[in-house]
Amino acid sequence: MTALLAAGALAAGVLPGQSMATDLRPIVPVIKRSVVGIGTFERTRSPSIVFNGTGFVVGDGLDVITNAHVVPATPADGKMVQLGIVLPDGEGVRFRPAELVARDNEHDLAHLRLSGTPLPALELGDSDTVQEGQELALTGFPLAMALGLHAATHRATLAAITPIVRPSLGARSLDPRQIAALQREPFNIFQLDGTAYPGNSGSPVYDPATGKVLGVINAVFVKGLKETAISAPSGITYAIPVNHVRDLLRKK
């Protein structure tokens, strides 16, 4: 029996000592219930609902986490633009208002708060326990609403745990954003061997076996610091460790 299992693993391309990839089918429906779009609503605008990125529900079902850069600034023209979440509704979408509770620009995280009926919430894991080479998954809205609001799931491997600012050979090669980042307390991020697309910002990165969230996809903010020489990287995505989300939620 052991020999048969080993032969099957080799046939599947799995080396001795490695485990086969976790079956995502049981966990994907659970995760999708808690993944939402982040956007704005303005009645006189066309379209009235604008999608900005992805978020996910935590806590008591009324807390939503996303990237800070996904949350737009208050409009200066006096228009009544409402921040909120965007949910699938048959062939269309519906909007649910939310309030910005706290913003952490340093880690590019934002905490929104809903009112009314709670939504299914995801459980936060401990990002300090994550190890390089670990199998992960992410679920969000790549390409936003271009193809409809349909959450998509991708596998990813934790390729490296790396500082937010890439090393520089000298001060002359540092841009203003990197200098500002160096003046703050440094922190590590997750480099993933997996591709995120426009719209995936704010997506949860989770353990495919347990569904516990371990990070938050952060493509635009981090790429501006680590990949200024590469305008469109292929197969590399960055995520903010979820323990920074815990800190943000304490700021209620």
Side-chain angles (χ1 to χ4, degrees), residues 62-149:
L62 296 174
D63 294 314
V64 178
I65 296 298
T66 187
N67 286 149
H69 78 260
V70 165
V71 178
T74 303
D77 55 12
K79 289 185 177 180
M80 296 297 293
V81 178
Q82 174 67 60
L83 173 67
I85 64 171
V86 185
L87 300 168
D89 187 12
E91 294 300 317
V93 297
R94 61 186 174 91
F95 182 83
R96 185 167 167 179
E99 176 188 359
L100 176 62
V101 176
R103 186 196 293 261
D104 177 359
N105 290 321
E106 180 178 354
H107 301 102
D108 195 31
L109 295 171
H111 171 201
L112 310 184
R113 181 74 179 174
L114 303 170
S115 58
T117 305
L119 296 173
L122 297 180
E123 184 178 354
L124 301 182
D126 182 359
S127 54
D128 288 342
T129 66
V130 178
Q131 297 180 320
E132 293 179 351
Q134 183 170 336
E135 178 189 16
L136 300 169
L138 62 101
T139 300
F141 298 109
L143 306 180
M145 297 190 331
L147 303 177
L149 199 65

Side-chain angles (χ1 to χ4, degrees), residues 165-180 182:
V165 178
R166 62 177 172 81
S168 176
L169 297 179
R172 290 183 178 180
S173 59
L174 288 172
D175 63 34
R177 293 188 67 193
Q178 290 173 321
I179 293 172
L182 286 170

Side-chain angles (χ1 to χ4, degrees), residues 21-32 137 153 155 206 208-209:
T22 303
D23 186 354
L24 292 176
R25 288 176 294 180
I27 199 65
V28 166
V30 176
I31 299 294
K32 288 176 66 174
T153 298
R155 294 184 185 274
Y206 53 91

Side-chain angles (χ1 to χ4, degrees), residues 207-220:
D207 183 331
T210 66
K212 290 185 178 181
V213 180
L214 298 170
V216 183
I217 288 295
N218 169 280
V220 176

